[in-house]
Amino acid sequence: MTNNIVVLGAGVSGLTTAYLLSQDPSNKITVLAKHMPGDYDIEYASPWAGANYMPVGKEGSAHHKWELNTWPALKEIAEKYPEAGIHFRGTLIYNRKKDQETDTGKWFSELTQPNPWYKDVVPDFKSIPSDQLAPGVDNGQEFTSVCINTAVYLPWLVGQCLKNGAVFKRAVLKHIADAANAHHTGERADVVINCTGLSSKTLGGVVDDKMYPARGQIVVVRNDPGPMMSTSGTDDGEDEALYIMTRAAGGGTILGGSYQKHNWSGIPDMNLANRIMKRCIDICPSLVKEGQGIEGLDIIRHGVGLRPLREGGTRIEKDKVDGVAIVHNYGHGGFGYQASFGCAYSAVSLVKEILQNKSRAKL
Ligand code: FAD
């Protein structure tokens, strides 16, 4: 028996879900999306991400489980498939207790605590001795993580899906139920997977009021400082962030950032860009030549993306809209890559439940 499946959305959530589903030859998959890898748009979060694996899910939560379950997959891809654009990278994390109550501090509270659950997941985890910490830093840790070149990785995922027979089509849908009529075979889809990120706020049949953006601004440069690093906050503003990561395969270095909730602006703010560059050099002088300031940065581009946050957390659940079976997989905030496989495994098991009920009904 074949299963007709439509995945709506071609960001990291849609592509990872489609990739897993396409490994079963009985699934005939259509990926429908307004934006595809190669596009840069404020409605499309995935290309803007760093992206790296810096866990933020609270211990014992579903979010924790998704991040835990994602590490083995990213590790395996980094080890076996250099063409996917993921590499291992040393990582330094610095925590200041004074950031605890800020938006950025809360976002990173699990990442920056001295004894996090992920210490047993990522390789080489160790605390940085306090005499090696800069003044004002309360604790620090180092470990090995991955950095993903999204401009290589997203097309790699598309390639894996194509190899497994999935069909990609551009479409802009007004209503989630319309996706069921857009399967490439012309037949009706048995199940639609909603991976539309922030657009789930306005998509007909979903209209999720709990969705809101956390605006992230970045500067991409050619300079290569070595390890990745991140802090719990900055002195420049409660919703500003500091992180540095060099992407695999010549993807440049991402300097970040910000975590501006409910801010929808897609235009880079040059004052913020200057603050980002300045504080990255302050914490990591090796970004530029000795004695240089921001004039020593070789800028590729400025960028802005909107992290698709959801009050109450990511939505992975079954639904039925106008008679169409739906599985939602959206609302991944600032962790869409580092939770991508974990979330997709959960979504796929819900798809299987729907398909099993379909086969039972046909018996
Ligand atoms: P999106 O990438 O937004 O994709 C949505 C898809 O749905 C698109 O294809 C879109 O065209 C399609 N779509 C929407 N509505 C419709 C419609 N009506 N009809 C047809 N198609 C539609 N995460 C990490 O794990 N690690 C990081 O280091 C990291 N860094 C980040 C840095 C920045 C600056 C930003 C902005 C984000 C970062 N993230 C990071 C978060 C991550 O980028 C997001 O969680 C993730 O990209 C969300 O992916 P998605 O597939 O759910 O949504």
Side-chain angles (χ1 to χ4, degrees), residues 8-14 32-36 43-46 48-52 171-173 195-197 199 203 216-218 243 245 305-308 329 332-339:
L8 184 59
V12 68
S13 309
L32 285 185
K34 181 175 179 185
H35 305 97
M36 293 280 181
E43 291 178 14
Y44 188 28
S46 294
W48 301 108
N52 63 16
V172 184
L173 297 192
C195 301
T196 56
S199 299
L203 179 64
Q217 184 166 322
I218 51 162
Y243 57 84
M245 57 181 108
L306 301 179
R307 300 178 182 89
N329 182 11
H332 303 86
F335 49 88
Y337 285 83
Q338 64 199 35

Side-chain angles (χ1 to χ4, degrees), residues 37 96 138 160 218 267 297 317 323 325:
R96 310 184 309 176
D138 294 291
Q160 300 308 300
I218 51 162
I267 298 164
L297 292 172
E317 64 184 20

